Amino acid sequence: YGGNLKGITEKLDYLHNLGITGIYFTPLFESPSAHKYDTTDYFKIDPSFGTNEDFKVMVEKAHHLGIKVMLDGVFNHAGYDHPFFQDVIKNGKDSKYKNAFFIHEFPFIDFNIEDKSIYLSHFRPKFDTFAFTPRMPKWHTADPLVSKHLLDCIAYWIEEFDIDGWRLDVSNEISHQFLRKIRETARRSKQDVFLLGENWDASMPWLSGDQLDAVMNYEWSHAVWAFLEHRSSASEFIEQMTLHLVTTPDHIIQNMFNCLDSHDTVRIRRRLQDDTNRFKIAMILLFISAGSPSVYYGNEVGMTGENDPDNRRCMIWDTSKQDYKCYDFVHKLIMLREKHTAFKQKDMYFIENEGLILSKSTDQEKIVYLINNSSQVITMSTHHISGFYINLLTNRSYEVTEQVKMAPYESILLKEI
């Protein structure tokens, strides 16, 4: 679509001004697809994005601006065009890479890879793959040749380009043993490198200190989505969030990658019927939750979209088409989280009545968030939190007494004074 690493380098000031302190890139390595999850060369930036040197320059500028860089490592599977797999196709049982993949029988290529009908049928190739697509043969990571190849990749991008983290694609399908090797290799290259897994459900077996530092926190996402889409009640939301908070250790929850959407999901605005006020509720929940809030590119300027590929529209850089009020709101939340330590605290207390009240405190401050997650005007009972507050969204100070009237899908974010 025309974007490249030099273009990203030019836009780093935009991200810095927004308050972004880290970037997670989906795969950048050479691959024939648009999504790049079918890697051909793990040591080469895809030419459509630029060169390895372009990437190095980008990382250096990002670091100068205080922005860390995390790459997407696809170590569960290779691309069909990867030299190892092509060698097995060519030489069969005589290939030195025959144990690099899970081949069921030889010969194993009995289809035309260019035949699009195989992707629309229940076709199953004679080798293990990711999601049954023959373009993504699964790695046998216990094989010494595979292990060395992938671990060399881990070390190469850390040592030669000073990246700060790896996001490991479908990490729950990679063996625990190999994840431990990834961690050992990464830590040797850079002591504080961050290892993030793509797990879609409860992930404690991966977070015991010997494998991943955190996961993409879809467990949190599912609870938020269900509540905001009215698929769960406030009581059910409280139960799900409380369970998440009490079962996740403090040092892990602070590292969790909290996301309202990603390249694999509907965008949050579309999920909430493109309603600005509902979007604001979601964003506040993101920024007052313990963990690392992730803003999917373009959300800050009002981008929307259904599932892939609609959720992967090109970034809107034309300022006349950007929602500047949305940008200001997201920027404000980023600044508030940086300023108020209570935003980052793990413990969250809930009060349910006509709406929902969330409270977070430290020894220095108390933050209270009132939500009307409905299309009706409500009167919220607020005697539990009566006192003097400043509204962090409007900077207006006032006294909260017995009741607060709230408009449909209204958010009130308060700090006790």
Side-chain angles (χ1 to χ4, degrees):
Y1 297 101
N4 56 36
L5 288 168
K6 288 183 177 179
I8 293 172
T9 305
E10 293 172 1
K11 295 297 185 182
L12 288 174
D13 288 320
Y14 164 88
L15 296 177
H16 175 67
N17 292 336
L18 178 60
I20 299 301
T21 55
I23 308 172
Y24 151 49
F25 289 97
T26 48
L28 298 178
F29 306 149
E30 187 173 37
S31 152
S33 66
H35 55 73
K36 305 298 176 195
Y37 281 96
D38 50 346
T39 311
T40 300
D41 188 339
Y42 284 89
F43 298 86
K44 180 182 178 183
I45 294 293
D46 192 277
S48 63
F49 300 146
T51 66
N52 287 20
E53 182 60 29
D54 292 336
F55 179 73
K56 191 166 192 174
V57 170
M58 189 273 298
V59 173
E60 289 172 351
K61 181 175 180 181
H63 285 172
H64 177 73
L65 295 173
I67 299 173
K68 295 184 182 296
V69 175
M70 180 163 60
L71 286 180
D72 201 329
V74 189
F75 304 128
N76 174 68
H77 52 272
Y80 186 88
D81 294 338
H82 190 281
F84 285 22
F85 194 66
Q86 287 297 308
D87 191 274
V88 182
I89 292 175
K90 179 181 179 181
N91 297 308
K93 293 180 180 180
D94 295 327
S95 171
K96 69 176 182 178
Y97 301 114
K98 67 177 182 180
N99 293 321
F101 306 94
F102 295 92
I103 311 297
H104 301 167
E105 60 181 278
F106 290 92
F108 64 100
I109 301 298
D110 55 358
F111 58 89
N112 179 2
I113 192 67
E114 302 302 330
D115 181 2
K116 294 183 180 179
S117 68
I118 63 177
Y119 303 102
L120 304 175
S121 66
H122 295 289
F123 171 75
R124 296 291 183 267
K126 295 178 180 177
F127 53 93
D128 287 358
T129 67
F130 167 72
F132 301 108
T133 170
R135 285 202 172 274
M136 298 183 185
K138 184 175 175 64
W139 284 117
H140 180 206
T141 54
D143 178 75
L145 293 174
V146 174
S147 180
K148 183 180 187 306
H149 184 60
L150 299 182
L151 295 177
D152 283 352
C153 168
I154 290 283
Y156 175 72
W157 293 97
I158 298 173
E159 295 173 5
E160 299 298 323
F161 299 87
D162 198 24
I163 67 166
D164 306 284
W166 281 102
R167 182 264 194 184
L168 305 179
D169 186 53
V170 287
S171 49
N172 60 325
E173 296 185 22
I174 301 173
S175 75
H176 292 284
Q177 182 180 6
F178 191 64
L179 287 173
R180 293 184 183 100
K181 289 183 177 181
I182 287 176
R183 185 181 187 86
E184 291 169 2
T185 300
R187 287 289 196 268
R188 280 199 300 269
S189 298
K190 191 174 189 177
Q191 187 58 42
D192 63 348
V193 71
F194 184 61
L195 297 178
L196 174 71
E198 185 208 11
N199 288 26
W200 283 73
D201 44 27
S203 303
M204 288 311 300
W206 287 265
L207 297 170
S208 57
D210 61 339
Q211 297 167 67
L212 304 173
D213 295 311
V215 295
M216 298 182 77
N217 199 3
Y218 285 112
E219 187 178 16
W220 177 90
S221 307
H222 290 144
V224 172
W225 293 339
F227 173 59
L228 297 184
E229 291 181 279
H230 307 297
R231 292 185 286 109
S232 70
S233 66
S235 296
E236 291 169 325
F237 175 67
I238 292 171
E239 182 178 350
Q240 291 171 332
M241 291 301 294
T242 301
L243 181 64
H244 171 60
L245 292 171
V246 300
T247 56
T248 310
D250 291 6
H251 67 286
I252 291 175
I253 204 167
Q254 296 298 341
N255 295 330
M256 285 297 209
F257 188 91
N258 295 338
C259 51
L260 290 166
D261 46 8
S262 72
H263 60 288
D264 288 321
T265 74
V266 175
R267 279 189 178 266
I268 189 62
R269 285 191 77 101
R270 180 55 51 83
R271 184 181 293 277
L272 302 177
Q273 309 303 310
D274 293 312
D275 185 301
T276 297
N277 289 329
R278 296 176 73 184
F279 170 78
K280 287 182 177 180
I281 293 175
M283 292 302 295
I284 295 173
L285 283 173
L286 174 67
F287 277 90
I288 68 167
S289 294
S292 179
S294 167
V295 179
Y296 188 40
Y297 76 92
N299 280 359
E300 76 280 5
V301 295
M303 286 184 65
T304 187
E306 289 286 347
N307 280 305
D308 180 19
D310 195 40
N311 60 345
R312 304 182 186 186
R313 301 179 191 183
C314 294
M315 173 65 185
I316 298 173
W317 290 114
D318 184 344
T319 54
S320 68
K321 297 179 180 178
Q322 293 180 345
D323 184 338
Y324 69 90
K325 290 183 179 179
C326 182
Y327 178 94
D328 290 343
F329 181 78
V330 173
H331 179 255
K332 187 175 187 69
L333 288 178
I334 293 173
M335 296 300 104
L336 287 172
R337 183 180 173 90
E338 185 66 25
K339 181 178 180 180
H340 298 288
T341 56
F343 277 58
K344 301 177 182 180
Q345 292 302 304
K346 175 183 177 180
D347 292 335
M348 185 182 294
Y349 302 95
F350 304 90
I351 303 171
E352 180 189 1
N353 46 58
E354 288 299 310
L356 184 61
I357 301 175
L358 286 64
S359 175
K360 303 187 76 177
S361 301
T362 66
D363 293 338
Q364 290 77 37
E365 63 182 7
K366 177 181 179 181
I367 301 294
V368 178
Y369 179 31
L370 287 69
I371 306 171
N372 177 11
N373 185 38
S374 78
S375 59
Q376 307 298 317
V377 175
I378 65 170
T379 299
M380 181 110 61
S381 175
T382 52
H383 66 276
H384 307 81
I385 60 164
S386 59
F388 290 92
Y389 293 85
I390 181 171
N391 187 321
L392 294 175
L393 300 178
T394 64
N395 292 322
R396 186 170 69 88
S397 300
Y398 53 85
E399 182 181 8
V400 174
T401 55
E402 295 294 310
Q403 295 181 330
V404 170
K405 190 174 183 179
M406 298 186 69
Y409 296 113
E410 183 180 4
S411 295
I412 301 176
L413 186 60
L414 303 173
K415 177 183 178 294
E416 190 174 44
I417 54 177

